[in-house]
Amino acid sequence: MINYVEFQLGDRKAAGELTPLTFVTGTGKSFLINSIYRILANIGNKIPKLYYDNFLITITIKERKFTLQKNRNIYRQILEGGGKRIVFEHGVVKGTTINRISEPFELTIKNADILMPFVEVNEHVSILADEEIESVNKIVEEFRSAFSLKVVLLGPYLDPRSSYDLSKATATLRPDGRNLVGILSMLALRDPDAYDRLRGLFRKKGVKLAVGLSRKGLLAGYAYINGVRIPISRLPCSLKAALVVMTAVATKPDLLLVDNFDYCFNEQLADVLSRYIDEQISRGQIVAELHRADIAELFKTQYKSVLSISL
């Protein structure tokens, strides 16, 4: 779980502690949520490109603090925890590309453009340096383990399709929910209890969900309301949004990020959503962006907080 975030864009700053359920209000909230996603979804991969000269984000998980900072052409990564501090730098200085570790020792390395890179060198170094490198790489591995969360991002707009091509199968729900039918089908096969529970809750709202193969060999999703069959894509916006969020929770992410949580929000569905939000925060975390702060009051969990930022 993320315990703390700090964010800077130019001269504007925001920071705060996060709880299992955190609603974010104010200005720049979508940018914050998307920045968290871009970091956590790319651990061990290339640093996501930043188009700002002065940018900083700090994420703290389990007393380990990771900072990604960009100052003009230089990206700096800082790993802090357990009294240790490691600093990596990547960028261009006077036309020359640099890849180096600058703390706790100085050394040119192969790939400082990776989020949380291991120290790898092109040439043999002394025995003392080998031991120091091994110590640093052990800490980096611990950071990678702590920060490698299963993260799902939804929003800002949800537009699930009624059909899904099995040849393009993916195990992760897309931010716009377009592959919802494919994920529901996967749940029906791999976790039928979760699938039946979701269908049962919608049935209590007068909506019967069905997923199966169509004549064209595609997966198709429908809902039956008062006996009338409706493609999932044509459901009322509030039902589609609730279904996407609940399906995301059913896939059991460590962290669910929701940009524009109150998109098409319907208070009549708050009780159904509350059950899934409680389920998610019992094992992970939700960070959701709100335009209407009063919506947070509809969710009664004690592990809730509202973070107001201004960026």
Side-chain angles (χ1 to χ4, degrees), residues 289-308:
E289 180 242 9
L290 281 180
H291 295 89
R292 290 176 46 199
D294 60 296
I295 288 178
E297 299 302 318
L298 298 174
F299 302 95
K300 305 301 182 182
T301 176
Q302 62 178 320
Y303 303 109
K304 174 183 69 180
S305 65
V306 177
L307 174 63
S308 180

Side-chain angles (χ1 to χ4, degrees), residues 160-187:
R161 308 293 173 82
S162 298
S163 61
Y164 183 71
D165 186 346
L166 286 170
S167 67
K168 301 177 181 178
T170 175
T172 302
L173 188 61
R174 292 174 59 93
D176 59 4
R178 70 170 61 189
N179 62 333
L180 173 68
V181 170
I183 300 300
L184 286 173
S185 176
M186 181 189 72
L187 279 175

Side-chain angles (χ1 to χ4, degrees), residues 212-229:
L213 284 174
S214 69
R215 294 179 181 178
K216 297 181 180 180
L218 301 175
L219 279 174
Y222 296 94
Y224 293 84
I225 302 177
N226 296 325
V228 178
R229 190 177 77 167

Side-chain angles (χ1 to χ4, degrees), residues 17-310:
E17 295 182 354
L18 304 187
T19 56
L21 173 60
T22 302
F23 289 110
V24 185
T25 63
T27 57
K29 48 194 182 297
S30 293
F31 193 71
L32 175 60
I33 284 178
N34 280 274
S35 296
I36 291 173
Y37 177 76
R38 294 182 73 199
I39 297 298
L40 297 182
N42 286 289
I43 300 298
N45 298 313
K46 293 285 187 180
I47 297 173
K49 187 169 290 187
L50 302 172
Y51 299 96
Y52 304 92
D53 286 338
N54 189 2
F55 172 93
L56 178 146
I57 183 169
T58 295
I59 301 174
T60 302
I61 298 177
K62 297 179 181 178
E63 299 181 351
R64 291 181 173 88
K65 183 167 71 172
F66 174 73
T67 298
L68 176 63
Q69 181 182 18
K70 184 189 178 191
N71 188 358
R72 296 187 181 277
N73 295 324
I74 301 296
Y75 289 85
R76 181 175 288 108
Q77 301 181 64
I78 306 171
L79 288 68
E80 298 174 282
K84 305 292 184 179
R85 175 183 166 94
I86 302 170
V87 179
F88 296 100
E89 295 176 336
H90 166 75
V92 178
V93 177
K94 295 181 180 180
T96 301
T97 299
I98 62 168
N99 286 284
R100 67 191 179 200
I101 177 172
S102 59
E103 293 185 41
F105 51 81
E106 294 187 12
L107 187 68
T108 296
I109 65 175
K110 288 184 179 179
N111 298 306
D113 59 343
I114 300 295
L115 278 177
M116 299 187 186
F118 289 117
V119 176
E120 298 178 334
V121 296
N122 291 315
E123 300 178 357
H124 177 70
V125 293
S126 68
I127 294 177
L128 176 61
D130 281 339
E131 293 175 351
E132 291 176 326
I133 289 171
E134 184 179 351
S135 176
V136 165
N137 282 342
K138 182 179 179 181
I139 294 172
V140 172
E141 186 175 6
E142 291 171 351
F143 265 78
R144 283 193 178 194
S145 177
F147 281 73
S148 293
L149 305 179
K150 179 182 178 181
V151 186
V152 172
L153 170 69
L154 297 179
Y157 302 105
L158 303 175
D159 186 24
R161 308 293 173 82
S162 298
S163 61
Y164 183 71
D165 186 346
L166 286 170
S167 67
K168 301 177 181 178
T170 175
T172 302
L173 188 61
R174 292 174 59 93
D176 59 4
R178 70 170 61 189
N179 62 333
L180 173 68
V181 170
I183 300 300
L184 286 173
S185 176
M186 181 189 72
L187 279 175
L189 291 173
R190 300 181 183 178
D191 194 348
D193 289 341
Y195 177 68
D196 290 342
R197 179 167 173 264
L198 190 151
R199 293 183 69 214
L201 287 174
F202 268 86
R203 192 178 297 116
K204 291 180 180 179
K205 294 294 182 180
V207 181
K208 182 180 178 181
L209 298 173
V211 175
L213 284 174
S214 69
R215 294 179 181 178
K216 297 181 180 180
L218 301 175
L219 279 174
Y222 296 94
Y224 293 84
I225 302 177
N226 296 325
V228 178
R229 190 177 77 167
I230 304 173
I232 281 180
S233 62
R234 296 184 182 179
L235 284 173
C237 185
S238 58
L239 285 175
K240 287 191 292 187
L243 180 56
V244 171
V245 172
M246 292 163 65
T247 301
V249 171
T251 64
K252 300 179 180 178
D254 298 310
L255 173 62
L256 176 59
L257 299 168
V258 187
D259 185 2
N260 204 9
F261 178 80
D262 42 1
Y263 172 66
C264 295
F265 185 81
N266 186 329
E267 294 185 11
Q268 294 181 357
L269 295 173
D271 60 331
V272 176
L273 280 171
S274 290
R275 298 185 189 185
Y276 273 76
I277 286 176
D278 289 343
E279 177 183 326
Q280 173 63 22
I281 66 176
S282 70
R283 61 169 182 263
Q285 187 175 29
I286 299 176
V287 180
E289 180 242 9
L290 281 180
H291 295 89
R292 290 176 46 199
D294 60 296
I295 288 178
E297 299 302 318
L298 298 174
F299 302 95
K300 305 301 182 182
T301 176
Q302 62 178 320
Y303 303 109
K304 174 183 69 180
S305 65
V306 177
L307 174 63
S308 180
I309 65 173
S310 179

